[in-house]
């Protein structure tokens, strides 16, 4: 029993020190990143935001909007007649522009009163003796049992890391302990990364199961022993059957880089096994923009720090007048919450976008900032059941102001905000710190956003249906994005 006595002594000392350091917690919480998953709401720290807004290489610096008929080409004199619009864009791209400099700051942590980061007095004053000795004894006994009896050797560092992870995931499905790789991938996501666990699956009717057909070398799945031929039975709370489509399963396995997912697998004929994996097989996301009959179709896969700039850059590169926009947010898991507010600011002005409710029963309302550059353009938003979190924030705000028609199916229903709290340079804790609702106070969590027009059947036809709806409302003359120097040539 010596290992148990030693471990109990160690735990008692560490718990005593941690209770005595309650005041340190508020300091650690300050440089937080805010995120929510399946969808997510992130707000990155001030340094990242300022760096993004003052970047001289910003591809949208010096844009102009030129209004013209579809069959016209503007000459040099046309640019002179559009000084007001040019001035508007100049302001929008100034470093002190509220769209660029505010939303990417910690919109939920820039005010000490907004989120209560102190440990409640009733917790801080609890004596260590209030924790059942039997609970501590049981914990240490389990550690000792695993040391001696588990089939593979496991060091104490891994055991305690797993214990922390288990403690957090039991709070809710979004809380978790982030190791160095997961933390780095999560930070990378704000600049454009989404991740998966590194497997491909297909439904095999002969077997009656979803079967792993590919495992990427050195991926999270590979490291945890997932192999080709394994059956995949469940992803998080979603059970898989023949009714699922390949796209469904791919979207369940994919999410914000660095976040975790639980999968239930089995070897053929053997017992099912639950494995927790982090989506560390990351890959950049690209905002795809194309022009069809004067309508700009924008595929927005997630909300990152640079989404606003990338969207505007895509409109410039079309190099043609635009008479309407189709914003495709299908499969968008969310992202930087304030990036969604920046996006809303392109289409609406003086508008409340979302309410954020933290623990202290005080709501924070995030509103649009600056000039609504794309306000004249008709807008249709396409969503599906995997559109979540920040994507739902944008859709609900556009819908409430009747600024856009939302079509597709009911969105996922993710309405909580997680704070990624650095413990050191390599580790962090992701913890649910707030809930958010629509600007009108309607709940999103577990409800989602109801579309104005419901689509069914194959999603392959949805884009064309949405396109026809935008065409019916298209402007007679388009709006064209060009760079400033292009008007002087």
């Amino acid at each position: 029993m010596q290992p148990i006595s030693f471990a109990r002594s160690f735990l008692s000392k560490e718990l005593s020190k941690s209770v005595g350091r309650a005041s340190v917690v508020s300091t650690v919480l300050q440089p937080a990143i805010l995120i929510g998953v399946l969808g997510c709401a992130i707000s990155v720290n001030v340094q990242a935001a300022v760096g993004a807004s003052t970047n001289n290489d910003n591809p949208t610096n010096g844009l102009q909007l030129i209004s013209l008929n579809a069959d016209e080409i503007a000459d040099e004199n046309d640019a002179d007649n559009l000084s007001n619009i040019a001035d508007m864009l100049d302001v929008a791209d100034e470093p002190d522009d509220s769209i660029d400099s505010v939303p990417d700051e910690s919109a939920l942590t820039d005010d000490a009163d907004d989120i209560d980061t102190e440990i409640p007095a009733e917790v801080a004053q609890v004596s260590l003796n209030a924790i059942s000795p039997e609970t501590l004894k049981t914990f240490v006994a389990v550690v000792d049992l695993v040391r001696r009896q588990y089939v593979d050797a496991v060091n104490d560092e891994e055991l305690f890391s797993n214990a922390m992870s288990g403690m957090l995931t039991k709070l809710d499905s979004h809380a978790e302990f982030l190791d160095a790789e997961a933390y780095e991938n999560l930070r990378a996501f704000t600049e454009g990364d989404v991740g998966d666990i590194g497997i491909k699956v297909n439904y095999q009717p002969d077997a009656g199961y979803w079967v792993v057909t590919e495992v990427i070398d050195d991926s999270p799945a590979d490291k945890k022993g997932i192999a080709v031929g394994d059956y995949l039975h469940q992803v998080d709370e979603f059970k898989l059957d023949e009714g699922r489509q390949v796209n469904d399963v791919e979207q369940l396995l994919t999410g914000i880089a660095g976040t975790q997912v639980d999968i239930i697998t089995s070897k053929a004929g053997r017992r099912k096994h639950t494995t927790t994996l982090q989506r560390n097989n990351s890959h950049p996301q690209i905002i795809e923009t194309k022009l069809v009959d004067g309508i700009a179709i924008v595929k927005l896969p997630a909300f990152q720090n640079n989404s606003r700039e990338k969207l505007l850059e895509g409109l410039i590169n079309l190099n043609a007048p635009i008479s309407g926009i189709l914003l495709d947010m299908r499969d968008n898991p969310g992202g930087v919450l304030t990036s969604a507010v920046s996006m809303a600011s392109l289409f609406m002005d003086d508008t409340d976008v979302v309410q954020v409710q933290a623990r202290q029963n005080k709501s924070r309302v995030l509103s649009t900032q600056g000039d609504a550059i794309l306000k004249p353009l008709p807008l249709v938003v396409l969503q599906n059941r995997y559109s979540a979190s920040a994507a739902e924030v944008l859709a609900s705000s556009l819908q409430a102001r009747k600024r856009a028609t939302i079509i597709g199916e009911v969105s996922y229903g993710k309405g909580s905000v997680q704070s990624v709290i650095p413990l050191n340079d390599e580790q962090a804790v992701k913890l649910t710190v707030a809930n958010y609702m629509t600007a009108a106070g309607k709940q999103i969590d577990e409800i989602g956003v109801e579309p104005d027009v419901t689509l069914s059947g194959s999603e392959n036809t949805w884009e064309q249906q949405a396109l026809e709806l935008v065409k019916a409302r298209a402007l007679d003359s388009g709006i064209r994005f060009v760079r400033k120097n292009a008007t002087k040539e």
Side-chain angles (χ1 to χ4, degrees):
M1 296 296 293
Q2 180 129 6
I4 297 178
S5 300
F6 171 79
R8 181 186 296 120
S9 174
F10 171 78
L11 283 172
S12 298
K13 291 178 182 178
E14 290 304 304
L15 286 169
S16 297
K17 287 190 285 184
S18 64
V19 171
R21 289 197 300 262
S23 61
V24 176
V25 174
S26 62
T27 301
V28 175
L29 290 175
Q30 294 308 313
I33 301 173
L34 297 175
I35 180 171
V37 183
L38 172 70
C40 76
I42 300 176
S43 182
V44 299
N45 58 27
V46 175
Q47 288 84 354
V50 173
S53 64
T54 58
N55 186 353
N56 291 329
D57 295 328
N58 186 339
T60 61
N61 281 341
L63 297 187
Q64 283 187 329
L65 281 177
I66 299 180
S67 180
L68 71 164
N69 293 326
D71 57 351
E72 290 181 347
I73 298 177
D75 59 23
E76 294 180 2
N77 294 329
D78 293 328
D80 295 335
N81 296 329
L82 295 166
S83 58
N84 290 337
I85 297 177
D87 290 341
M88 177 181 72
L89 281 167
D90 285 340
V91 172
D93 285 321
E94 289 289 333
D96 62 350
D97 171 37
S98 56
I99 293 179
D100 284 331
S101 62
V102 173
D104 287 340
E105 295 180 14
S106 182
L108 306 177
T109 58
D110 58 357
D111 226 332
D113 294 333
D114 288 337
I115 293 180
D116 185 0
T117 59
E118 295 291 342
I119 294 179
E122 63 270 22
V123 174
Q125 294 173 3
V126 169
S127 168
L128 183 61
N129 293 332
I131 301 175
S132 167
E134 290 302 316
T135 299
L136 293 175
K137 179 179 178 181
T138 300
F139 177 80
V140 174
V142 170
V143 171
D144 188 55
L145 180 64
V146 173
R147 282 172 171 171
R148 292 183 288 105
Q149 299 292 335
Y150 187 63
V151 63
D152 297 319
V154 183
N155 63 45
D156 287 353
E157 290 288 338
E158 183 176 351
L159 289 178
F160 276 82
S161 177
N162 291 342
M164 290 184 287
S165 179
M167 173 184 66
L168 292 165
T169 54
K170 282 293 184 179
L171 293 176
D172 64 51
S173 61
H174 308 302
E176 60 184 288
F177 176 74
L178 302 174
D179 61 18
E181 186 177 10
Y183 185 28
E184 179 57 34
N185 275 291
L186 192 56
R187 285 184 287 193
F189 163 76
T190 64
E191 303 304 328
D193 286 353
V194 168
D196 57 47
I197 61 173
I199 64 172
K200 298 289 185 182
V201 296
N202 277 301
Y203 184 77
Q204 295 187 359
D206 292 343
Y209 293 103
W210 285 86
V211 179
V212 177
T213 57
E214 180 183 348
V215 180
I216 297 175
D217 290 342
D218 206 34
S219 66
D222 185 35
K223 292 177 182 177
K224 286 293 185 77
I226 306 299
V228 172
D230 288 356
Y231 294 168
L232 178 62
H233 303 279
Q234 187 169 324
V235 180
D236 283 333
E237 70 270 29
F238 300 98
K239 294 182 179 180
L240 306 184
D241 55 29
E242 68 277 7
R244 298 275 181 183
Q245 301 296 316
V246 172
N247 181 63
D248 291 334
V249 181
E250 287 180 354
Q251 290 306 316
L252 292 174
L253 295 172
T254 302
I256 308 308
T259 59
Q260 70 182 25
V261 59
D262 292 330
I263 63 172
I264 296 179
T265 60
S266 70
K267 308 293 182 183
R270 296 188 179 183
R271 189 169 54 184
K272 295 178 181 179
H273 177 68
T274 300
T275 306
T276 299
L277 297 167
Q278 289 174 327
R279 297 179 175 99
N280 291 343
N281 185 50
S282 60
H283 36 87
Q285 293 297 289
I286 299 172
I287 296 180
E288 299 176 0
T289 306
K290 62 182 178 180
L291 192 68
V292 178
D293 298 331
I295 306 300
I297 301 177
V298 181
K299 173 65 177 175
L300 184 63
F303 290 88
Q304 277 93 21
N305 288 342
N306 59 3
S307 292
R308 172 185 178 271
E309 287 72 23
K310 290 296 185 182
L311 184 149
L312 292 175
E313 182 182 15
L315 296 180
I316 297 170
N317 292 337
L318 291 177
N319 195 29
I322 300 167
S323 55
I325 294 179
L326 169 57
L327 185 61
D328 188 348
M329 295 198 296
R330 287 178 294 177
D331 304 328
N332 184 319
V336 181
L337 177 61
T338 46
S339 175
V341 177
S342 293
M343 284 289 191
S345 299
L346 290 174
F347 298 99
M348 304 180 292
D349 51 20
D350 299 322
T351 303
D352 293 339
V353 176
V354 62
Q355 289 187 31
V356 181
Q357 180 70 58
R359 186 174 62 193
Q360 71 279 11
N361 298 321
K362 180 182 177 182
S363 293
R364 171 82 179 271
V365 178
L366 302 183
S367 305
T368 58
Q369 303 286 338
D371 296 303
I373 300 171
L374 304 180
K375 186 175 181 179
L377 290 169
L379 176 65
V380 169
V381 173
L382 184 57
Q383 66 176 29
N384 64 3
R385 59 191 176 278
Y386 299 116
S387 306
S389 195
E392 294 173 295
V393 166
L394 178 57
S396 65
S397 64
L398 293 168
Q399 185 182 54
R401 282 288 295 268
K402 301 187 184 303
R403 175 60 186 89
T405 300
I406 313 301
I407 72 172
E409 58 189 354
V410 179
S411 60
Y412 182 83
K414 166 67 174 60
S416 62
V417 179
Q418 282 68 47
S419 175
V420 176
I421 306 162
L423 300 176
N424 49 53
D425 290 339
E426 295 187 344
Q427 295 173 316
V429 168
K430 179 158 68 70
L431 197 65
T432 301
V433 297
N435 294 311
Y436 59 79
M437 298 175 289
T438 69
K442 294 182 179 180
Q443 186 172 336
I444 292 176
D445 201 45
E446 298 184 357
I447 294 177
V449 177
E450 290 273 355
D452 299 307
V453 178
T454 300
L455 300 179
S456 58
S458 173
E459 283 197 36
N460 294 331
T461 67
W462 288 14
E463 181 182 290
Q464 185 59 41
Q465 294 181 64
L467 185 61
E468 294 301 324
L469 186 57
V470 187
K471 286 181 181 180
R473 305 173 183 180
L475 300 178
D476 293 333
S477 60
I479 295 177
R480 182 176 186 145
F481 284 83
V482 298
R483 302 186 186 279
K484 263 188 178 178
N485 56 9
T487 66
K488 300 176 181 179
E489 294 176 354

